Amino acid sequence: MPNDPSEMTRAGDDGPSAVFAKLAEMVYNGDEFAQVYQAICDAAATLVPGCDHASLMLKENDRHVTVAASDDIAARVDALERAEQEGPCLDAIENDAPQVEAELARSTQWPRLARRATAETPVRGAAGFRLMIRGRKVGALNLFSDKPGEFTDESIDQAILITAFAAVTLTALHEHQEAQTLREGLASNREIGKAIGLLMAFHDISEGRAFDLLRKTSQDMNIKLTGVAREVIAHHNSKFD
């Protein structure tokens, strides 16, 4: 999460590229998922024309969980969708096309949500955009407007762009954390550490390159990393027997 709520807004003053750069910087710095989730919501609320509130809802097994929201109103509408089991955000998770209702008061597709959202919140328009990570439907970016008719073609195009960038950002963060977890395992696995040392010495490569070779071999041959490490050690020992 930005150090103060206005940080993402200030970044938005220079246009989408500044906000996207901020999100990328957070990933490269190894920030936590919660911080990136929040930054995505803040960026959507800042950049999408007509958007007053935004949330990010993920599907966890059979549950739908709001992992971040620009404010309490966005979180409240998400809760109403879950309670009524209908709405553009829930439908967006399962459908490729954006789910847009620019005037909730006239909605016939989600009448129960429309009735409660207009009665209990200032929201008058809602939209959901499916979030895909590694080919899996994992959630939706949800946008809400306090005025009817505010979500235009321009709004939808911008929301699609932010959702696509969010997918790339979260994929990169997943890969970063997986690599970090494997690297941390080296400290407690002497066989992997020894194999990396041997590869570094005999092939004159860096530790990172040696690690990547072990990991790629493990993935290509569908063998655990420790198994590959043992083979490297055994191969080296056989040369000197």
Side-chain angles (χ1 to χ4, degrees):
M1 186 183 302
N3 292 330
D4 68 77
S6 63
E7 183 176 343
M8 190 61 71
T9 302
R10 288 197 300 269
D13 292 341
D14 294 327
S17 61
V19 177
F20 293 163
K22 182 66 177 178
L23 290 175
E25 179 185 346
M26 295 178 74
V27 175
Y28 298 145
N29 288 338
D31 282 349
E32 298 297 324
F33 278 98
Q35 293 174 297
V36 176
Y37 293 154
Q38 187 64 49
I40 290 168
C41 293
D42 292 342
T46 299
L47 294 177
V48 176
C51 179
D52 296 301
H53 323 279
S55 68
L56 191 61
M57 186 188 292
L58 300 185
K59 186 175 182 179
E60 298 180 358
N61 298 320
D62 294 329
R63 299 171 60 239
H64 296 90
V65 180
T66 298
V67 295
S70 63
D71 52 41
D72 292 342
I73 293 173
R76 175 60 178 161
V77 180
D78 277 7
L80 292 176
E81 287 205 31
R82 288 191 292 268
E84 297 298 336
Q85 284 297 295
E86 68 172 26
C89 308
L90 291 177
D91 285 359
I93 295 175
E94 304 300 332
N95 297 289
D96 180 51
Q99 304 293 305
V100 182
E101 181 52 82
E103 298 191 36
L104 273 176
R106 298 183 180 182
S107 177
T108 57
Q109 188 171 2
W110 305 293
R112 296 190 306 277
L113 170 70
R115 183 170 57 253
R116 292 195 63 182
T118 55
E120 300 176 29
T121 77
V123 168
R124 296 297 179 266
F129 301 82
R130 187 172 72 177
L131 181 63
M132 297 279 291
I133 298 179
R134 294 175 170 176
R136 294 176 53 243
K137 299 179 286 187
V138 301
L141 177 65
N142 312 317
L143 310 181
F144 308 104
S145 172
D146 289 345
K147 295 179 181 179
E150 288 292 295
F151 288 141
T152 63
D153 289 344
E154 180 186 0
S155 304
I156 295 170
D157 289 344
Q158 188 71 352
I160 290 172
L161 179 62
I162 292 175
T163 305
F165 186 87
V168 172
T169 302
L170 293 173
T171 298
L173 187 54
H174 272 285
E175 293 175 351
H176 170 83
Q177 292 208 345
E178 286 179 358
Q180 185 63 30
T181 298
L182 287 172
R183 290 181 185 277
E184 289 171 354
L186 297 180
S188 59
N189 193 311
R190 298 177 63 183
E191 288 179 318
I192 294 176
K194 185 175 181 180
I196 285 180
L198 291 171
L199 289 173
M200 291 171 64
F202 282 90
H203 296 282
D204 191 25
I205 57 178
S206 67
E207 178 183 352
R209 176 60 178 152
F211 173 80
D212 288 341
L213 282 174
L214 279 182
R215 184 172 62 170
K216 185 177 188 305
T217 302
S218 172
Q219 293 171 343
D220 291 347
M221 299 182 66
N222 196 26
I223 300 173
K224 289 184 178 180
L225 204 60
T226 51
V228 177
R230 292 190 192 105
E231 290 297 324
V232 171
I233 295 169
H235 179 71
H236 170 265
N237 290 340
S238 68
K239 287 186 175 182
F240 295 94
D241 286 343

